[in-house]
Amino acid sequence: MSSPQILNIGICGFGTVGQGVWKHLSAHLGDLESRLGVKLHLARASVRDLTKKRDVKIPARLLTTDPLAIAKDPSIHIVCELIGGTTLARQVTLAALRRGAIVVSANKALICEHGPEIIAAAQQHGGHFFFEASVAGGIPIIKVLREGLVANRFTRIYGILNGTCNYILTQMEDRNASYAEVLADAKRLGYAEADESLDVDGWDTAHKASVLAWLAHGVWVKTDQMIVEGIAGITPADFKHAATLGYGVKLLAVISRDFVSNELSVRVHPTLLPESNVVANVSGVFNAVSVTGDVVGTTFYSGRGAGQDATASAVISDIADAAALLKHGKGSHLLGEDQGIRGGGCRLTPPERIRSRYYLRLTVQDEPGVLARIATVMAKQKVSIASVLQTPAEQAGAAALVLTTHESNERAIGTTLQQLRALAVVLAEPVLLRIGDFEQ
Ligand code: NAP
Ligand code: HSE
């Protein structure tokens, strides 16, 4: 196949990310072209509503409401799927791959739900699938796992993968701002998903954890095989209690592989991190990823995790890789499609083997004997108490009890929670957070 002289790029979805890609690619076109040795042409873009006002203006003749027409257009070499969701985005992605085109995607939900089908379509039809923008916004974490750290087996990858949640948590902690107010800001700033429950309930982080787990371990882990908890239950009181105990609170994805038992666990939950941990100090829309490999040791990456510019930066890096692939052919790249070999038959860790220390906040009746009843429930499940704090709760006659535990497991703490909920002296839904005693 001779390489084309001009590479035509189609942008399916011209919202926050699509407009960012158009704007920054146009601004840096000459520079990129001379570095890549090819001409790049922004050929077409698709939207749902042609009448919507947009910050980035392009000639009306280049806009269509039919992204599938772009995906199927044989003159388009690189199709960017920046629509979101998993229905139309899947159709667009598969249509482009099935004609052997290159697809660049920022869509972690799509990859998590349909990754195997997409990779199979790329391999079967000679297309390629690039997805740097799908995880951690502007941080090139896909390249890190696929290329930079290719020599390694990964024992632990953890970090903040959702800019919206980190922005909300930071603003709640620093400004004592209300959850609703900060979420509205995150939407206005273009950080949040069209359906913001994907962010705040932990699903977006879970989709990204699934992508990283596949890259690092060659196994597709679905969200129903993970622990997934979001940030909605966290209150300003939890930040205060955590600080008293020497911790910050972050929504983390944690991907752990035990190469002795050959087990893998993938989980997403708000986590207490020691104040000295570098990830605990990453604020606002920034993401942070700590990657521990058996050869390199622990490495750390941070940068903006959401928003137009950071995401456009990642999409444009994929467009550059796609251009280099079209110019030089396969062999010059370690493609994401080849990651399946890392699996090595590993299994998912059963709950009793997922171990952690826990933080438990209970709103209880402020009367004699309550602590003893709670301690009895915990002792029956062999959950050992490490510390207890008691402060007045907002409700009259109630107290907030904050307990931390020694190391236990998910099954024991789950049963403990069920039994605590059933006690008449426990007045509100308990808040359970994991403690991540990660040094770095
Ligand atoms: P967005 O602002 O909502 O843009 C989506 C675009 O797709 C819009 O142009 C919209 O058209 C178009 N579209 C949506 N549904 C359509 C339909 N049924 N038919 C035709 N066009 C349709 O979303 P975004 O924030 O740019 O996100 C796009 C993708 O990037 C998502 O997969 C998201 O998860 C991912 N991502 C986003 C960020 C971020 O910070 N925003 C970061 C990383 C990854 P209209 O404009 O006419 O409504
Ligand atoms: N809604 C996502 C976030 C966009 O806030 O992290 C980036 O993937």
Side-chain angles (χ1 to χ4, degrees):
M1 181 182 75
S2 65
S3 63
Q5 296 303 304
I6 298 180
L7 298 181
N8 291 318
I9 301 165
I11 306 284
C12 298
F14 203 61
T16 303
V17 181
Q19 291 183 73
V21 171
W22 197 289
K23 178 173 71 177
H24 290 295
L25 194 55
S26 305
H28 295 99
L29 201 62
D31 191 23
L32 271 170
E33 285 177 340
S34 48
R35 288 167 71 177
L36 291 163
V38 288
K39 289 274 173 213
L40 300 172
H41 173 55
L42 282 160
R44 299 174 74 182
S46 76
V47 295
R48 180 172 32 197
D49 177 0
L50 287 169
T51 65
K52 204 187 250 184
K53 289 237 174 317
R54 297 178 199 271
D55 293 337
V56 175
K57 312 276 182 238
I58 64 172
R61 67 187 154 74
L62 301 185
L63 276 178
T64 171
T65 53
D66 184 1
L68 274 167
I70 296 180
K72 291 177 181 170
D73 180 344
S75 74
I76 303 285
H77 302 97
I78 302 170
V79 176
C80 299
E81 186 282 291
L82 306 170
I83 299 167
T86 55
T87 307
L88 181 58
R90 173 176 165 272
Q91 292 166 1
V92 165
T93 300
L94 292 176
L97 292 174
R98 284 175 183 152
R99 66 172 176 85
I102 295 184
V103 175
V104 170
S105 174
N107 193 336
K108 52 273 171 171
L110 180 73
I111 305 172
C112 177
E113 279 186 33
H114 299 289
E117 182 185 27
I118 290 168
I119 299 303
Q123 288 171 338
Q124 194 181 340
H125 299 280
H128 293 287
F129 186 67
F130 289 84
F131 48 97
E132 185 61 70
S134 66
V135 183
I139 307 172
I141 193 67
I142 304 295
K143 263 197 161 53
V144 165
L145 294 182
R146 198 178 59 201
E147 299 174 26
L149 299 185
V150 71
N152 291 266
R153 298 199 303 175
F154 302 105
T155 48
R156 185 166 64 209
I157 300 170
Y158 76 93
I160 300 165
L161 300 182
N162 186 273
T164 301
C165 288
N166 206 40
Y167 180 77
I168 294 173
L169 291 177
T170 310
Q171 294 285 316
M172 280 172 72
E173 186 174 15
D174 295 353
R175 293 202 294 118
N176 214 10
S178 81
Y179 178 85
E181 178 198 339
V182 191
L183 176 57
D185 274 356
K187 292 184 81 160
R188 184 180 46 77
L189 292 164
Y191 303 158
E193 297 301 305
D195 170 5
E196 76 251 16
S197 69
L198 289 171
D199 295 296
V200 296
D201 294 336
W203 300 111
D204 178 74
T205 302
H207 294 148
K208 292 166 176 167
S210 174
V211 176
L212 294 187
W214 176 66
L215 273 173
H217 303 293
V219 177
W220 287 108
V221 183
K222 294 273 193 186
T223 54
D224 61 6
Q225 298 172 299
M226 306 175 192
I227 297 167
V228 182
E229 294 174 9
I231 62 167
I234 298 175
T235 67
D238 293 308
F239 292 111
K240 286 197 193 113
H241 297 315
T244 305
L245 294 163
Y247 293 99
V249 184
K250 295 292 178 190
L251 181 70
L252 293 189
V254 183
I255 302 162
S256 308
R257 173 106 175 242
D258 180 335
F259 284 94
V260 177
S261 62
N262 207 9
E263 284 174 359
L264 174 71
S265 84
V266 183
R267 50 211 168 92
V268 171
H269 44 65
T271 309
L272 267 62
L273 278 177
E275 277 165 354
S276 57
N277 179 304
V278 66
V279 176
N281 293 290
V282 170
S283 308
V285 73
F286 278 66
N287 284 188
V289 192
S290 166
V291 180
T292 301
D294 59 345
V295 180
V296 72
T298 297
T299 58
F300 172 75
Y301 311 86
S302 181
R304 283 190 172 72
Q308 184 171 74
D309 299 337
T311 313
S313 168
V315 172
I316 292 169
S317 85
D318 276 350
I319 292 174
D321 269 357
L325 178 70
L326 286 166
K327 187 172 162 66
H328 302 294
K330 196 174 169 183
S332 57
H333 283 73
L334 286 167
L335 295 167
E337 296 130 40
D338 301 331
Q339 292 306 123
I341 51 165
R342 281 187 171 271
C346 76
R347 300 176 301 278
L348 293 180
T349 310
E352 61 275 15
R353 284 219 276 280
I354 301 181
R355 299 187 68 77
S356 180
R357 297 205 302 119
Y358 297 90
Y359 159 109
L360 187 58
R361 176 165 61 77
L362 301 169
T363 305
V364 296
Q365 201 86 44
D366 195 3
E367 62 186 31
V370 170
L371 184 57
R373 291 177 68 182
I374 288 162
T376 304
V377 168
M378 294 175 77
K380 273 196 190 138
Q381 298 308 319
K382 299 191 169 50
V383 177
S384 168
I385 295 171
S387 70
V388 182
L389 285 176
Q390 182 174 337
T391 59
E394 280 176 13
Q395 252 169 288
L401 264 187
V402 176
L403 301 121
T404 65
T405 74
H406 290 295
E407 202 171 86
S408 181
N409 65 58
E410 288 296 317
R411 180 163 295 166
I413 202 76
T415 311
T416 301
L417 269 190
Q418 268 175 19
Q419 295 184 357
L420 289 175
R421 277 189 199 106
L423 293 182
V425 293
V426 173
L427 302 175
E429 177 61 20
V431 173
L432 177 79
L433 304 175
R434 279 89 182 161
I435 300 176
D437 288 310
F438 308 140
E439 280 167 23
Q440 46 183 351

